[in-house]
Amino acid sequence: MKTPPKLEDLIGIEYSKLGFFREAQEKIAQLHASTVELERRRQQIQAILDGITDVMAVITPEGRITSVNRVYYEVFGDSSPVGRACYRVFRKQEKPCRPCPADIAFRTNRLCRQEHIYTVGDVTRHFEITASPLRDSQGRPCHILLLKRDVTLEREYQAKLNHAEKMSTVGLLAAGVAHEINNPLTAILGFAQAIKKRLPEVRDRLPEDFGSDLEEYMGIILDECARCQEIVQGLLSFSRPHSGTMIAVDLNGCVRDTVRLIRHKLKEYPHIDLHQECAPDLPPIRATPSDIKQLLLNLLLNAVDAMADQRGRIVIRTGIRGAEHVVLEVRDTGCGIAPKDLGKIFDPFFTTKPVGRGTGMGLSMCYTIAQAHDASIEVESRQGEGSAFRVVFRKMT
Amino acid sequence: MDIVKFSIPEIIFGRGAMKYAGLCAKRLGAEKPMVVSDPGLREAGWVSRLFDVLAAEGLEWCYFEDVVSNPRDTQVGHGALFYAEQKADVIIALGGGSPMDAAKGIAIVVGNGGSIHDYEGANRIHRPLPPMVFLPSTAGSGSDISQFAIITDTRRRLKMTIVSRTLVPNISIIDPMLLVTKPHHLVLAAAVDALAHAVESYVSVIASPFTELQSLKAIEIIAAHLPRAAQESSLDVLESLSIASTAAGMAFSNASLGADHALAHSLGGMFDVLHGEVHSVLLPAVMRFNLEHAMAKLAHIGKILTGKKWKSARTAALAGIEAMESLFLSLGMKHRLRDLVPDRDQLPTVCRMAAQDACLLTNPRPATWEDLLAICEEAW
């Protein structure tokens, strides 16, 4: 039973008409707190979204863009794409693309990943596109989240790596071939020498002109055999796996050997002039000779490429620097290196040569070799005037 | 003198004051008020008049008229559901005590939840109610002024009294024009109710100078105009009765009532008799019962009702009660309890229930249920 009302209840001094003031105050305070919290979360999420380095866009099933992230503006420019059709914004096309990853994701309600190549501005880019459906509370897709990762560089590097691997296989094959050729070459050389040695015995029994021709032919055979041997030896020494054993090496000797190897290639480039300025009495360095030859060869091949279609001069110079160092310099008068590329030339696979001509591995290899020898590489280049690469070794102690 | 309290709503009074209903609701934050009225007022055209007023302020509305005389708990429940369904805001009541009390009940339930029974008694409402704008169509009930709501408990067959300052409506718009279409006998019954309010609040144990002033003014106006009202319901008379009713409402909302209303609530709950018809039967008997405990005040009332000076207070008081009885008789009102209650055997039950009524607290003479039964027997 409820307590019956008392006189004081009827007078009701302590009771007033109840207002919404306190409730409203509390509600306002709650709303304020939740607004602050929501704003904090929004900023957190925005920071996460801004941290994504891929182009991100949310589109409707019809392909209208509803929002994009910061990276979008970096890649596609400053005007807002919101409300426009994705195929117009991304590809400047008049109709939807086929196949459309967003459409597939929407229809299958599953993530769809595809790679597409198209032109943005004037640059052809390779995008990895991930379309994932954004689902409503019933799990049905209502929007599509598009992530576009620019994989242009990765794909280029991958192509170059594939090429480099192919080249290295070719190199191994060449070494095998060289080895196989060496044996018959030795036989040819041996027998040719034997013929030459026995030729005077039968000289008087031969007609005069035939005898002199034979002598001349034998001379040519022997010379050419010697040249073949040189090439074969060069190939063998380059393809031999790095032994890693460091010995005292005369830099001038390495230069001579390498120049011998490259000379026949230089015959294709009669407009290129090769000079050697080797300092006499050069102190030895501690090195693996095949590595040093490889390093020099790479520098020389780059110099040749730099002057592929112009007259020019390559100077190989050795010398002493101070009391501690021995310097090997390759200087050319070729095209030089663009300032913007200067920082990247030692990166693996970085190249300015057309695909198939350079692997982008040459200077990277030089750098690795120099490091293994505790040497540094100095580069000096002016675009259009030429470049100089200096490898600074420590003197052997 | 004890510390007293006097609280009333904002009151807008005058012929044609209804035109402010929309503006008032809007000021209280209305976009879609809920209008509570009854079929009688709809048929008289007042509901559509009110809709016009709301429309003029650009308001939407929803309409609820499932209200009978002595509004029921079930109707309050339906009204609260309707309010929630319609997403209504301000509650506008147009009508007599029934639509206004129903509107209060609906306001309690929508503001506080649960069922209306949870709030029976005094000051059990702890959460704010929707804003309320009331337009009384009777000059009597005082519900547009008071802190009371009377709702019938259909299961227990009694009237629940709900008391809370928060039941005082925000704005009371009193337009005497509304009385013009009222059936004559209802106008008279309401005036008698107002008179009962005035008399009981005047002799109440918690009457204060602020309420006594209103009580006496109401008695004076009713004594002067009620006989005329019986002849012709001119707008001037109706306006005077409205003023009296409003004054009586201000008095009883703050000073409460007495044994007559305790019994009236009990009878209304059990037999569904019209509230305004009970007082002509019971009020004189209650006044006699209270005589010794409120002699001076009853004498004052007698002086006003008879318009004469009397030698002693007792003669004045008794002359006043007799004058009141003859007035009721001349108005053709019921004056015996047997005309209202079918079965005399039920009187003890009625009185036991009335003894629990909050109104009895302020009766100048404490009364047991047996005392109440004696009053009823006298009035039988």
Side-chain angles (χ1 to χ4, degrees):
Chain A
M1 182 67 196
K2 289 159 185 165
T3 48
K6 298 187 290 290
L7 268 188
E8 296 73 45
D9 291 322
L10 296 180
I11 299 169
I13 287 174
E14 294 166 22
Y15 300 92
S16 303
K17 188 159 181 66
L18 300 169
F20 288 94
F21 178 73
R22 208 190 56 188
E23 287 209 340
Q25 291 284 307
E26 280 171 10
K27 275 279 176 304
I28 288 168
Q30 279 173 10
L31 277 175
H32 185 73
S34 74
T35 308
V36 169
E37 173 65 13
L38 279 175
E39 175 61 18
R40 197 183 61 76
R41 284 197 203 160
R42 194 194 65 77
Q43 282 178 358
Q44 213 170 27
I45 289 167
Q46 189 61 49
I48 292 171
L49 292 183
D50 283 345
I52 293 173
T53 52
D54 301 343
V55 173
M56 201 188 77
V58 178
I59 63 170
T60 63
E62 298 76 42
R64 299 271 157 200
I65 295 175
T66 59
S67 66
V68 292
N69 68 342
R70 192 177 44 80
V71 182
Y72 168 87
Y73 295 102
E74 289 171 13
V75 176
F76 290 94
D78 283 336
S79 70
S80 170
V82 172
R84 296 174 57 204
C86 59
Y87 45 87
R88 281 181 213 278
V89 170
F90 291 127
R91 310 207 189 180
K92 309 251 181 294
Q93 287 181 6
E94 290 305 312
K95 11 183 236 283
C97 328
R98 289 280 170 260
C100 169
D103 187 50
I104 294 168
F106 181 71
R107 278 188 287 108
T108 60
N109 197 6
R110 284 163 72 178
L111 187 135
C112 172
R113 189 169 281 148
Q114 290 183 353
E115 293 200 1
H116 286 237
I117 298 172
Y118 56 90
T119 308
V120 177
D122 299 327
V123 190
T124 301
R125 288 178 186 260
H126 195 134
F127 284 106
E128 184 185 273
I129 301 176
T130 309
S132 40
L134 300 176
R135 301 179 180 99
D136 61 15
S137 51
Q138 274 89 47
R140 290 187 300 256
C142 52
H143 282 89
I144 306 294
L145 176 71
L146 277 184
L147 283 173
K148 290 176 182 267
R149 168 167 298 175
D150 188 340
V151 291
T152 315
L153 279 179
E154 277 102 317
R155 292 298 174 265
E156 273 177 24
Y157 287 164
Q158 202 155 29
K160 282 176 186 169
L161 182 65
N162 292 343
H163 185 69
E165 274 174 2
K166 218 183 328 181
M167 292 310 287
S168 113
T169 313
V170 170
L172 275 177
L173 277 174
V177 170
H179 192 76
E180 287 304 314
I181 287 172
N182 204 26
N183 292 338
L185 198 61
T186 311
I188 292 167
L189 188 68
F191 286 116
Q193 277 169 342
I195 290 169
K196 197 185 175 190
K197 195 173 170 188
R198 289 187 61 187
L199 196 59
E201 293 171 24
V202 294
R203 182 78 163 88
D204 49 343
R205 271 179 276 161
L206 296 173
E208 179 51 30
D209 52 344
F210 178 65
S212 61
D213 281 357
L214 208 55
E215 245 169 31
E216 192 191 339
Y217 295 165
M218 287 316 296
I220 292 169
I221 289 172
L222 285 173
D223 282 354
E224 292 304 310
C225 275
R227 207 159 74 87
C228 282
Q229 251 181 341
E230 243 174 64
I231 293 167
V232 166
Q233 282 305 321
L235 274 175
L236 282 176
S237 73
F238 272 101
S239 59
R240 201 173 290 142
H242 301 296
S243 59
T245 44
M246 301 260 195
I247 52 169
V249 172
D250 171 24
L251 211 48
N252 288 342
C254 287
V255 172
R256 267 196 305 280
D257 289 351
T258 313
V259 168
R260 197 179 302 142
L261 197 69
I262 200 174
R263 230 185 243 289
H264 70 95
K265 181 179 172 80
L266 275 179
K267 283 184 185 150
E268 297 166 29
Y269 303 93
H271 55 277
I272 296 176
D273 204 5
L274 181 67
H275 269 264
Q276 297 176 56
E277 293 174 15
C278 293
D281 306 325
L282 204 61
I285 56 167
R286 224 178 107 74
T288 312
S290 61
D291 282 359
I292 301 303
K293 287 180 202 167
Q294 174 81 66
L295 188 159
L296 181 56
L297 182 69
N298 287 348
L299 292 180
L300 287 172
L301 288 174
N302 276 351
V304 169
D305 283 337
M307 295 183 294
D309 34 42
Q310 67 188 79
R311 284 197 68 80
R313 183 182 168 84
I314 299 173
V315 180
I316 307 170
R317 192 180 285 138
T318 58
I320 301 168
R321 181 191 282 183
E324 297 283 314
H325 297 102
V326 179
V327 181
L328 168 67
E329 184 187 77
V330 177
R331 179 181 287 275
D332 66 61
T333 58
C335 59
I337 303 164
K340 69 175 169 64
D341 293 335
L342 214 47
K344 293 185 269 187
I345 53 174
F346 293 109
D347 290 352
F349 306 117
F350 177 81
T351 184
T352 56
K353 297 169 194 172
V355 175
R357 284 284 301 278
T359 61
M361 287 300 290
L363 281 175
S364 161
M365 208 185 283
C366 291
Y367 182 78
T368 314
I369 292 169
Q371 277 211 316
H373 288 83
D374 197 17
S376 60
I377 301 181
E378 298 169 359
V379 188
E380 191 183 289
S381 180
R382 275 171 193 239
Q383 208 169 0
E385 290 181 20
S387 313
F389 284 80
R390 274 189 297 279
V391 189
V392 185
F393 295 95
R394 282 184 175 281
K395 226 157 52 172
M396 193 173 171
T397 47
Chain B
M1 196 178 96
D2 290 332
I3 296 169
V4 297
K5 178 163 180 166
F6 187 80
S7 73
I8 54 171
E10 281 182 38
I11 295 170
I12 298 174
F13 187 98
R15 298 175 193 180
M18 187 200 244
K19 67 180 176 189
Y20 293 106
L23 192 70
C24 289
K26 217 170 159 184
R27 289 273 178 276
L28 292 171
E31 284 175 6
K32 186 181 182 183
M34 171 172 171
V35 176
V36 182
S37 190
D38 62 30
L41 280 148
R42 177 165 50 77
E43 281 155 22
W46 290 113
V47 172
S48 60
R49 269 288 309 280
L50 178 59
F51 289 167
D52 291 342
V53 168
L54 297 179
E57 288 296 334
L59 293 169
E60 284 183 69
W61 61 82
C62 57
Y63 180 60
F64 183 78
E65 66 164 25
D66 176 19
V67 179
V68 292
S69 167
N70 299 320
R72 296 171 184 167
D73 47 6
T74 49
Q75 293 170 327
V76 167
H78 294 155
L81 282 178
F82 182 71
Y83 178 97
E85 266 170 32
Q86 295 287 325
K87 296 186 170 43
D89 36 55
V90 171
I91 296 181
I92 301 178
L94 170 66
S98 304
M100 288 195 282
D101 279 355
K104 285 182 178 181
I106 291 166
I108 293 170
V109 175
V110 298
N112 292 262
S115 95
I116 188 65
H117 308 93
D118 303 337
Y119 307 98
E120 185 184 359
N123 301 317
R124 294 182 185 278
I125 301 168
H126 299 296
R127 293 169 58 80
L129 310 188
M132 292 181 281
V133 177
F134 282 11
L135 298 103
S137 69
T138 50
S141 80
S143 185
D144 56 309
I145 307 289
S146 79
Q147 59 162 333
F148 300 95
I150 314 291
I151 306 289
T152 301
D153 183 330
T154 46
R155 199 175 45 79
R156 291 185 289 161
R157 289 181 64 203
L158 55 83
K159 282 197 166 186
M160 298 181 287
T161 305
I162 302 169
V163 187
S164 170
R165 290 283 171 188
T166 210
L167 284 177
V168 176
N170 300 60
I171 303 177
S172 174
I173 300 173
I174 303 159
D175 186 347
M177 306 273 275
L178 281 172
L179 303 180
V180 171
T181 56
K182 205 81 183 167
H184 191 62
H185 74 281
L186 287 183
V187 173
L188 297 184
V192 172
D193 191 17
L195 180 62
H197 289 158
V199 170
E200 289 214 292
S201 63
Y202 184 57
V203 299
S204 159
V205 297
I206 59 170
S208 75
F210 309 101
T211 64
E212 285 163 359
L213 202 65
Q214 305 296 336
S215 300
L216 290 175
K217 190 71 190 169
I219 294 167
E220 191 188 310
I221 296 172
I222 292 168
H225 289 92
L226 191 51
R228 280 176 61 202
Q231 313 305 318
E232 37 110 25
S233 300
S234 73
L235 198 51
D236 287 340
V237 171
L238 293 175
E239 188 178 72
S240 299
L241 290 179
S242 279
I243 294 169
S245 162
T246 304
M250 290 192 236
F252 91 79
S253 182
N254 292 286
S256 192
L257 296 160
D260 166 58
H261 267 84
L263 282 167
H265 292 158
S266 185
L267 287 166
M270 280 188 74
F271 306 113
D272 210 20
V273 294
L274 193 65
H275 181 71
E277 288 184 335
V278 180
H279 308 299
S280 59
V281 173
L282 287 176
L283 186 58
V286 168
M287 286 165 81
R288 282 197 189 92
F289 173 77
N290 287 335
L291 191 64
E292 299 298 330
H293 289 76
M295 188 68 85
K297 283 189 166 178
L298 286 173
H300 199 138
I301 292 171
K303 219 171 82 185
I304 295 171
L305 288 179
T306 59
K308 292 179 194 160
K309 289 191 173 176
W310 298 85
K311 283 187 204 125
S312 74
R314 180 179 293 273
T315 48
L318 287 171
I321 295 167
E322 276 163 27
M324 191 183 281
E325 279 174 323
S326 54
L327 173 65
F328 292 159
L329 212 59
S330 72
L331 294 174
M333 305 200 73
K334 297 189 170 85
H335 61 286
R336 303 315 306 176
L337 192 54
R338 58 176 165 266
D339 300 334
L340 294 173
V341 180
D343 187 355
R344 193 167 182 164
D345 295 345
Q346 289 188 300
L347 286 180
T349 320
V350 170
C351 294
R352 279 202 179 86
M353 210 176 276
Q356 305 293 323
D357 196 283
C359 289
L360 203 56
L361 283 173
T362 47
N363 198 60
R365 177 177 170 186
T368 61
W369 74 270
E370 289 96 340
D371 293 331
L372 295 177
L373 187 59
I375 294 170
C376 289
E377 295 289 352
E378 186 195 323
W380 189 259

